């Protein structure tokens, strides 16, 4: 998002696919928790959790981009950490909310990162467990899973293009 034109391209694709919300990882360039994207008509908003500020390297974080229509349904959000954000929306059903958890799991290629991954999944489990029964939960993100090419029994959710 930090580079010129990226936001416009994302908004164009959201319009093409008629998306009201879109989750994204490493939302480069965002410097505050919620901001309106300038020169986008109708208005689009970004909610962000991660490292920010003028001196930030803009390499970590997760976020949600939404239309002004979705923003009207926004109840609130909780930046859990630089790898996870929870956003809540009203729905057409009374007393039922839509909760979107967006996350970006650490890789597990080194021993230090394995510890970070275990901590990440513990925080994620606590975040999921603390939801009420009146919430529709959508969990989206990159879990850095390593999968093979045998998708027997998982054809609806797994492709056959894994390595190993």
């Amino acid at each position: 998002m930090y580079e010129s034109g990226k936001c416009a391209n994302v908004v164009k694709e959201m319009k093409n696919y008629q998306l009201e919300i879109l989750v994204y990882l490493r939302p480069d360039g965002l410097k505050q928790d919620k901001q309106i994207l300038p020169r986008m008509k109708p208005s689009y908003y970004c909610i962000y959790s991660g490292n920010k500020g003028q001196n930030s390297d803009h390499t970590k974080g997760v976020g949600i981009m939404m239309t002004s229509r979705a923003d009207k349904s926004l109840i609130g959000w909780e930046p859990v950490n630089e790898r996870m954000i929870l956003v809540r929306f009203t729905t057409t059903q009374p007393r039922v909310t839509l909760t979107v958890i967006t996350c970006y799991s650490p890789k597990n290629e080194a021993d230090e990162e394995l510890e970070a991954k275990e901590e990440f999944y513990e925080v994620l489990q606590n975040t999921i467990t603390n939801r009420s029964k009146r919430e529709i939960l959508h969990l989206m993100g990159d879990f850095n899973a390593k999968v093979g090419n045998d998708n027997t029994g998982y054809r609806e959710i797994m492709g056959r293009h894994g390595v190993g």
Side-chain angles (χ1 to χ4, degrees):
M1 297 290 191
Y2 196 58
E3 295 174 23
S4 178
K6 277 193 173 182
C7 282
N9 287 340
V10 171
V11 166
K12 179 182 172 190
E13 292 303 317
M14 285 182 73
K15 288 178 182 177
N16 285 345
Y17 289 100
Q18 300 176 357
L19 300 175
E20 293 291 324
I21 63 172
L22 176 83
V23 301
Y24 54 97
L25 311 172
R26 293 183 55 203
D28 302 338
L30 298 179
K31 295 179 174 64
Q32 56 199 36
D33 291 338
K34 182 180 180 190
Q35 68 185 57
I36 187 170
L37 299 176
R39 300 181 306 279
M40 303 291 173
K41 300 294 180 196
S43 297
Y44 284 77
Y45 296 84
C46 289
I47 295 177
Y48 165 73
S49 177
N51 62 352
K52 51 189 169 285
Q54 293 298 332
N55 298 324
S56 170
D57 62 359
H58 308 294
T59 58
K60 297 180 182 172
V62 292
I64 291 184
M65 182 183 285
M66 70 188 85
T67 64
S68 56
R69 181 176 164 202
D71 184 58
K72 290 176 186 171
S73 297
L74 180 67
I75 297 171
W77 74 93
E78 177 186 338
V80 178
N81 56 36
E82 66 185 20
R83 294 186 171 275
M84 195 176 312
I85 189 169
L86 180 141
V87 184
R88 296 180 66 225
F89 298 93
T90 60
T91 65
T92 57
Q93 299 298 314
R95 300 184 317 227
V96 175
T97 59
L98 169 65
T99 300
V100 178
I101 299 174
T102 304
C103 50
Y104 184 34
S105 170
K107 298 175 184 169
N108 59 351
E109 295 176 1
D111 290 339
E112 317 82 59
E113 293 172 347
L114 184 60
E115 189 174 308
K117 194 160 192 151
E118 288 175 4
E119 181 182 332
F120 166 82
Y121 280 109
E122 184 176 318
V123 170
L124 177 59
Q125 184 62 52
N126 290 337
T127 304
I128 291 171
T129 302
N130 291 330
R131 307 286 48 104
S132 79
K133 294 183 190 270
R134 293 199 172 266
E135 290 180 73
I136 299 168
L137 179 64
H138 283 268
L139 177 61
M140 301 183 216
D142 182 351
F143 296 94
N144 284 311
K146 299 204 184 239
V147 297
N149 54 13
D150 179 13
N151 66 350
T152 305
Y154 299 100
R155 286 188 176 89
E156 290 110 21
I157 59 171
M158 179 181 160
R160 293 189 50 92
H161 305 288
V163 177

